[in-house]
Amino acid sequence: QVQLVESGGGLVQPGGSLRLSCAASGSIFSIAAMGWYRQAPGKQRELVAAITTGGSTDYADSVKGRFSISEDNAKNTVYLQMNSLKPEDTGVCYCCAQSGAWSWGQGTQVAVSS
């Protein structure tokens, strides 16, 4: 079983930046991929970015060129650097890990508003 703890959310003005962190613990050796999902108010949860243990990355079209996912294996942590934030990026961001089963963090709120 994998436990995930997110941090780094907050309120930022349009055009600003935030970096989210997701620290993994437990059966981390079994993780094949990790990612970030976002759930905007009244909408379904959607994939924002993902990274495999081999370092391959994938992004939603809406964030390409603005967001970057990375990992620090020594710290068992995945990061999501979010630049040029827009109001439509507002939502709760969830970290997830695929290790046979899916594990989810508790979520961190991102609000983009002037």
Side-chain angles (χ1 to χ4, degrees), residues 7-100:
S7 61
L11 173 64
V12 64
Q13 292 186 341
S17 298
L18 284 174
R19 189 177 80 155
L20 306 182
S21 300
C22 174
S25 61
S27 301
I28 58 174
F29 60 89
S30 64
I31 295 175
M34 295 185 68
W36 289 92
Y37 279 71
R38 176 175 64 205
Q39 187 162 21
K43 295 187 177 181
Q44 290 187 329
R45 196 174 295 188
E46 61 177 1
L47 176 67
V48 175
I51 186 167
T52 69
T53 52
S56 297
T57 58
D58 191 24
Y59 298 91
D61 288 342
S62 60
V63 306
K64 285 180 180 177
R66 300 188 297 123
F67 290 13
S68 178
I69 189 170
S70 62
E71 59 185 357
D72 184 335
N73 292 325
K75 296 182 178 180
N76 300 322
T77 299
V78 170
Y79 303 97
L80 184 67
Q81 178 66 43
M82 305 184 294
N83 299 325
S84 302
L85 282 161
K86 304 175 181 180
E88 51 263 43
D89 293 319
T90 294
V92 179
C93 289
Y94 297 91
C95 177
C96 65
Q98 183 185 19
S99 58

